[in-house]
Amino acid sequence: MSYVVDFVNVSTVGLESSPVADALAGLRANEARYFANKYDHLFTTHAAADVPDLVGYVRRVLDEERGLVIASPPLEATEVLVDGVRWTYVFYESGLAINVLYTLEPGGKRAVGFKLSDGMDVPEELADKFKFARQKSKLAGTIRGSFFVVKGEY
């Protein structure tokens, strides 16, 4: 099932099993607002089980780049291709959102971003490896984020 994320009327559709469902919905809506405002793009997510290739892609990048395995089950995923950049998102039950930004042109920006929903603890697999900066969002409360640069070809 796909869901066009509404950043005006924030909904927990597809995220209900998360202990921080409201905050994760706000985080997802925050991303939707970014793509709507910057690219005039509707941010549409899919149940993770319906898009195993996207979840597998993010899993592969995390494993090959940093040896990371996310313990929390994925709930939703999506991919957006705008202005020569492939953005792949996975939203996890714990409240974690991961995106892989991958410029298709050689030498372009390539990075993995982590965002933690308001109220969630830093996942054990990320705790000692990354420092998280705080950002305020009207939709998501306080978002904590971190990233690393992707060096491989995917």
Side-chain angles (χ1 to χ4, degrees), residues 79-137:
E79 188 167 86
V80 177
L81 183 59
V82 288
D83 290 352
V85 180
R86 176 184 181 190
W87 303 74
T88 309
Y89 280 82
V90 178
F91 297 90
Y92 294 87
E93 189 173 63
S94 65
L96 174 66
I98 297 177
N99 73 72
V100 177
L101 175 155
Y102 196 87
T103 302
L104 300 177
E105 286 285 321
K109 290 182 182 180
R110 296 176 177 173
V112 172
F114 302 101
K115 291 186 180 176
L116 308 177
S117 294
D118 204 1
M120 75 171 283
D121 292 329
V122 176
E124 187 176 311
E125 55 271 32
L126 304 178
D128 296 332
K129 296 178 173 116
F130 299 95
K131 291 185 179 186
F132 289 85
R134 295 182 186 276
Q135 165 189 346
K136 289 281 190 185
S137 163

Side-chain angles (χ1 to χ4, degrees), residues 1-7 9-16 21-35 43-47 75-78 89 91 95 97 115 117 137 139-140 143:
M1 177 181 121
S2 64
Y3 172 69
V4 177
V5 180
D6 183 350
F7 59 88
N9 301 302
V10 179
S11 170
T12 59
V13 168
L15 308 173
E16 298 90 352
D22 289 336
L24 183 56
L27 179 58
R28 179 179 65 180
N30 190 65
E31 300 302 312
R33 181 177 58 196
Y34 171 80
F35 282 98
F43 195 77
T44 304
T45 59
H46 309 275
L75 296 178
E76 289 193 329
T78 190
Y89 280 82
F91 297 90
K115 291 186 180 176
S117 294
S137 163
L139 293 170
I143 300 170

